[in-house]
Amino acid sequence: MARRRFWSIFPASTREATDAILANFLLHWFPARMRATSLGWTPSFWLGTASWVLFVLLLLTGLPLMVFYIPSTREAYQSIKDIEHVVSFGWWMRAAHRVAAHLMVIVVTLHLARVFLTGAYKNGGAREQHREWNWVIGVAMLVGTVLLSFTGYLLPWDQLAFWAVTVSMNIAASAPLAGPAIRELLIGGREVGQTALMRFYLLHIVVLPIGVAVLFGYHMWRIRKDGGLARGDATGETTGVMNAIPAVAVRMAVVTLATWLAVTVLAMVIPSPLEEAANPLVTPNPAKAPWYFLWLQEIVADTTVRIGPLAINGAFIGGVLFPLGLLVLMTVWPWLDRSGPAATGVTMPRERRTQTLVFLAIAILIVVLTVVGLLRGPSWAFYWPWEAWTDVPTRY
């Protein structure tokens, strides 16, 4: 009886133990039986599991940071300095939180790219599959991940954070009709100040984490409902099917430890930047958006031109039209893709060659524009990494 105070299930056989695991969602996110090919490393690279591990790491490192952080424009910067230099291992917690946030954006993006390149958003031969809706959930989780990182970007309240958010908000305000209203809704006024900091803080620690967690729970349930990992031979056959629990447990443990180790090492070798305290009266040159928005800022700079009396609004093209159109196209693409069930789960099949090449071209373009944005210097001039920046007076 004493043992049952701490644990209620004591199976008398292997069958009872298996049934107990299958009945528990937390202990069994994956299908009970899977194809041996689906349990390999290359079909999915376990990017979804790595994304969840990074999310958990963000929660574990974010909770102690939240204890010491003060969401006030007068005290936020000093509280970050205290975390960095006074709190025991505070520098590591902050660095690990920052590294995990950036890695999560990268890993979730790669996961979505893997799903697209394998056509895993398409239904196979089995009935009652709705993988296209899980793709929509994946797009929503990517947006939530980027917003999680973006809302946390402002919290240090230094020059880097303040002006990165200011630049991003100014781009968002270029949307016709609703742009200024959206900007004012996000920052609570016309300028980035105390109201903006508090709203970003609440979004970062409450609204967005809960939203991403709920989406993830539904995402995993939908995968179970659709029969697990999408494969080209998903036609209801049972060839090569095996008990998935031991293999999945081992691989999840390996991915978890590898992800934790990567974050730990990177947090020790990559310092977390902290510039001077935010000053709305001093504009740094250049003032850049966060790295995952640099490709949009580069489009804004390249498409802002004036031809005689005609002026082309680059902020609208690069900050609103292009990303919004791309997001809508990604969301509805499963219904536009006319490839057959045989191409489901197959990496870059001939039947999907054209859309695969277009996707890769857009992805390469985004990467190139991001790199170019990273190499921009004062007055948005291009500088190679080995070139020194020209001294340009800071704008007041």
Side-chain angles (χ1 to χ4, degrees):
M1 293 295 295
R3 295 174 60 194
R4 294 188 178 277
R5 296 176 183 174
F6 304 97
W7 196 254
S8 59
I9 300 176
F10 297 94
S13 65
T14 303
R15 177 60 181 270
E16 287 187 12
T18 302
D19 290 341
I21 293 175
L22 297 180
N24 192 311
F25 179 75
L26 293 178
L27 296 178
H28 191 58
W29 288 351
F30 293 87
R33 298 180 65 80
M34 297 172 61
R35 289 177 174 79
T37 53
S38 298
L39 292 171
W41 293 103
T42 54
S44 68
F45 300 101
W46 291 77
L47 293 170
T49 302
S51 302
W52 174 249
V53 173
L54 288 169
F55 181 69
V56 173
L57 286 175
L58 285 170
L59 295 179
L60 294 177
T61 55
L63 288 174
L65 290 175
M66 187 173 63
V67 173
F68 297 104
Y69 179 75
I70 303 174
S72 166
T73 55
R74 294 184 178 181
E75 301 180 80
Y77 182 75
Q78 185 59 48
S79 67
I80 293 293
K81 290 189 69 174
D82 290 341
I83 291 172
E84 192 74 25
H85 303 290
V86 179
V87 177
S88 298
F89 296 101
W91 64 270
W92 182 87
M93 286 189 295
R94 179 170 175 253
H97 193 76
R98 177 174 174 271
V99 167
H102 292 327
L103 284 180
M104 187 173 172
V105 173
I106 296 172
V107 173
V108 172
T109 302
L110 291 176
H111 179 54
L112 209 67
R114 196 280 304 173
V115 173
F116 185 93
L117 293 176
T118 58
Y121 53 76
K122 297 287 292 181
N123 297 321
R127 299 178 62 184
E128 300 301 328
Q129 289 186 348
H130 299 284
R131 296 186 186 274
E132 62 275 4
W133 288 111
N134 220 8
W135 166 264
V136 175
I137 295 298
V139 173
M141 285 195 290
L142 174 60
V143 173
T145 299
V146 172
L147 291 178
L148 264 174
S149 183
F150 179 65
T151 52
Y153 213 87
L154 180 64
L155 303 187
W157 201 249
D158 62 349
Q159 281 287 77
L160 176 66
F162 179 86
W163 286 103
V165 172
T166 299
V167 168
S168 302
M169 291 295 97
N170 289 340
I171 293 176
S174 64
L177 300 179
I182 292 174
R183 181 182 186 275
E184 189 166 340
L185 176 66
L186 290 174
I187 64 177
R190 302 194 175 202
E191 304 294 336
V192 177
Q194 175 60 45
T195 306
L197 180 62
M198 183 56 69
R199 291 190 180 190
F200 274 51
Y201 181 66
L202 292 176
L203 286 171
H204 187 69
I205 69 171
V206 179
V207 179
L208 291 172
I210 292 176
V212 171
V214 170
L215 289 175
F216 177 81
Y218 179 80
H219 185 69
M220 294 303 301
W221 176 82
R222 191 69 255 175
I223 292 174
R224 288 281 308 273
K225 192 75 172 176
D226 292 333
L229 188 67
R231 301 291 295 165
D233 56 351
T235 57
E237 299 178 3
T238 58
T239 306
V241 174
M242 59 180 289
N243 187 359
I245 296 175
V248 167
V250 171
R251 284 158 176 76
M252 287 187 66
V254 171
V255 172
T256 300
L257 292 175
T259 305
W260 174 266
L261 179 62
V263 171
T264 300
V265 172
L266 290 174
M268 291 189 294
V269 299
I270 302 178
S272 297
L274 186 64
E275 298 185 359
E276 297 178 354
N279 188 347
L281 302 178
V282 179
T283 307
N285 189 3
K288 294 185 178 182
W291 66 267
Y292 36 82
F293 290 151
L294 275 179
W295 62 284
L296 294 176
Q297 191 175 6
E298 182 65 27
I299 295 177
V300 170
D302 296 337
T303 56
T304 301
V305 295
R306 181 179 293 275
I307 305 175
L310 178 63
I312 299 178
N313 187 352
F316 172 67
I317 296 175
V320 179
L321 187 62
F322 189 83
L324 185 60
L326 192 60
L327 186 63
V328 171
L329 185 61
M330 286 177 57
T331 303
V332 303
W333 191 256
W335 289 274
L336 301 178
D337 185 353
R338 299 300 181 183
S339 58
T344 302
V346 179
T347 303
M348 293 186 286
R350 180 175 299 180
E351 190 176 356
R352 302 179 66 250
R353 178 179 296 176
T354 300
Q355 56 186 292
T356 297
L357 291 176
V358 172
F359 177 87
L360 290 176
I362 295 175
I364 293 172
L365 176 63
I366 291 174
V367 172
V368 169
L369 290 175
T370 301
V371 173
V372 172
L374 289 171
L375 296 176
R376 293 295 188 180
S379 302
W380 211 245
F382 183 86
Y383 290 83
W384 291 108
W386 54 85
E387 289 183 312
W389 283 6
T390 304
D391 291 332
V392 176
T394 303
R395 297 191 295 271
Y396 290 87

